[in-house]
Amino acid sequence: MVKASDDRVGEEVTLFSPYKLGKFQLEHRVVLAPLTRCRGINGLPNDAHVEYYSQRATPGGLLITEGTHVSDTAAGMPNVPGIYTEEQVQAWKKVTDAVHAKGAIIFCQLWHVGRASHPVYQPNGATPISSTNKPISSKWKAFLPDGSEVEYPEPRPLSRSEIIELVEIYKQAAINSIRAGFDGVEIHGAHGYLLDQFLKDHINDRTDEYGGSIENRLRFLLKVVEVVGSAIGPERVGVRISPAIEFNDAIDSDPLGLGLAIINKLNKLQESIGSKLAYLHVTQPRFMAQEGFDDGAEWAIKWREAYQGTFITSGGFVRESGIEAVAKGEADLVAYGRLYISNPDLVKRLKINAPLNKYDRNTFYIPDPVVGYTDYPFLSEEEERNGVSSL
């Protein structure tokens, strides 16, 4: 059993036990994972977002928003909200107010897709940016606003001065998030998006201080974490990584070593500033169900053991596996994605072992403000009474 990071020795810990997340008191360990839903028309959260997030808010529950653009170059899918204009900040305030009214905590995930974009999403049809000029392979497709899918274009490598500018862009997005009422931010360094394009050696072919050695490849991410933490407080900053996930060709020759190197640097950063980050969020390899991959569970345990702080895990968890992960100390918190889409009252359903609504993949990324977004049913009183709890 792995030692949990904030649990008293001898106490039985479950998925529904309270947890102290830095300055925040959680009443259970079920987290809403960040989920792109493509309902942010014109880059703005709206009344549908208010309803969606407040439906999933519970007293002392942690919600992480969909990936939220840090700038006008960050987009790679249609109708995704941003956090870089004043209009966006004001629109998000309605969401955070509704979530806080339910007693929940909400973090904004800061997202830049890098090369996982297309000129149709870029200002003046510009070329998407990355660590490299290598495009994502034809195995993956860009999803355009008209619903068509095309191959990704060749990106443009960022200059060193542009990387420094982007660090400041992340900083401002974090400041904007706090102004919008968010309790913190999650820096998206996973799934083959911009920061991950620097981390993974299959992508990053730079010869400057941002490429080559593992220390150089970590430089951009760590600078963002450091600067954002200085701006809003490290206890309000979470970091998401996915060393073993090959989504968008994000392949590394040594995923275990990459994960441990990131964690070692984050631990040193926490020690140097005398404060913990909010959490480290790691996507399990089961997220992609990668064929022939059987090292993932062992690697995840090693990453968990190495990180000195709150550890969130996600990637295909169901009730039983989530309960097991917390009970064994393999994670402090478990983030659920698809099950939370179709079950706005997921926490209650998991706790009493009630049946779950099935999700409809066809409505994951459509702009409809209701269908597949806020119209999934809650448990009826009768169904709630018939729930069978095994806890």
Side-chain angles (χ1 to χ4, degrees), residues 98-383:
V99 167
H100 290 148
K102 292 282 193 75
I105 295 99
I106 184 166
F107 275 44
C108 182
Q109 190 191 63
L110 304 183
W111 191 27
H112 195 302
V113 304
R115 69 175 185 167
S117 185
H118 187 277
V120 72
Y121 294 114
Q122 296 300 310
N124 302 313
T127 301
I129 56 178
S130 182
S131 63
T132 180
N133 65 356
K134 293 185 295 185
I136 298 174
S137 73
S138 59
K139 175 182 177 180
W140 311 95
K141 295 291 187 285
F143 182 62
L144 300 187
D146 64 6
S148 63
E149 295 184 353
V150 299
E151 292 191 9
Y152 283 105
E154 181 177 304
R156 175 180 66 80
L158 286 161
S159 69
R160 286 178 287 183
S161 63
E162 287 176 315
I163 293 172
I164 294 170
E165 290 173 5
L166 271 164
V167 171
E168 291 301 310
I169 285 171
Y170 274 96
K171 173 185 173 181
Q172 188 59 54
I175 292 170
N176 289 349
S177 297
I178 300 304
R179 290 180 53 237
F182 286 103
D183 299 292
V185 301
E186 176 178 283
I187 296 168
H188 195 345
H191 302 171
Y193 297 116
L194 181 61
L195 295 173
D196 204 23
Q197 291 160 26
F198 281 77
L199 297 174
K200 301 290 179 67
D201 61 11
H202 180 78
I203 302 174
N204 188 339
D205 56 1
R206 301 176 73 94
T207 57
D208 61 9
E209 65 267 38
Y210 294 98
S213 69
I214 199 165
E215 182 170 353
N216 283 354
R217 287 184 280 120
L218 268 56
R219 193 181 305 277
F220 187 13
L221 170 66
L222 293 172
K223 192 63 178 177
V224 170
V225 175
E226 179 185 356
V227 169
V228 168
S230 295
I232 67 171
E235 73 283 356
R236 294 184 182 274
V237 180
V239 180
R240 190 177 200 185
I241 60 172
S242 59
I245 301 299
E246 299 181 356
F247 188 69
N248 287 329
D249 287 343
I251 301 166
D252 194 82
S253 60
D254 181 14
L256 174 60
L258 175 61
L260 291 174
I262 296 169
I263 288 168
N264 179 54
K265 290 290 188 180
L266 293 178
N267 287 340
K268 288 183 176 179
L269 174 62
Q270 292 180 143
E271 184 178 353
S272 68
I273 62 179
S275 177
K276 301 282 189 185
L277 298 170
Y279 58 78
L280 176 66
H281 181 180
V282 180
T283 312
Q284 294 271 7
R286 75 179 85 188
F287 169 82
M288 290 292 294
Q290 290 166 201
E291 291 185 16
F293 190 89
D294 52 13
D295 295 319
E298 180 182 343
W299 290 355
I301 290 172
K302 289 183 178 180
W303 293 327
R304 194 275 190 277
E305 290 175 336
Y307 183 61
Q308 298 168 10
T310 295
F311 192 91
I312 302 180
T313 189
S314 62
F317 281 88
V318 295
R319 181 178 190 269
E320 293 74 18
S321 55
I323 289 172
E324 181 180 14
V326 172
K328 288 185 175 181
E330 295 173 359
D332 298 302
L333 309 172
V334 180
Y336 288 83
R338 288 164 289 187
L339 295 185
Y340 232 139
I341 287 176
S342 54
N343 296 275
D345 53 355
L346 182 65
V347 177
K348 180 182 292 183
R349 290 177 186 261
L350 294 179
K351 190 168 187 177
I352 68 175
N353 200 13
L356 300 177
N357 301 320
K358 293 182 179 179
Y359 51 80
D360 180 2
R361 290 181 182 272
N362 293 323
T363 62
F364 280 4
Y365 308 117
I366 64 174
D368 194 293
V370 176
V371 176
Y373 195 55
T374 59
D375 62 347
Y376 283 106
F378 289 76
L379 280 171
S380 67
E381 290 184 8
E382 181 179 358
E383 288 172 324

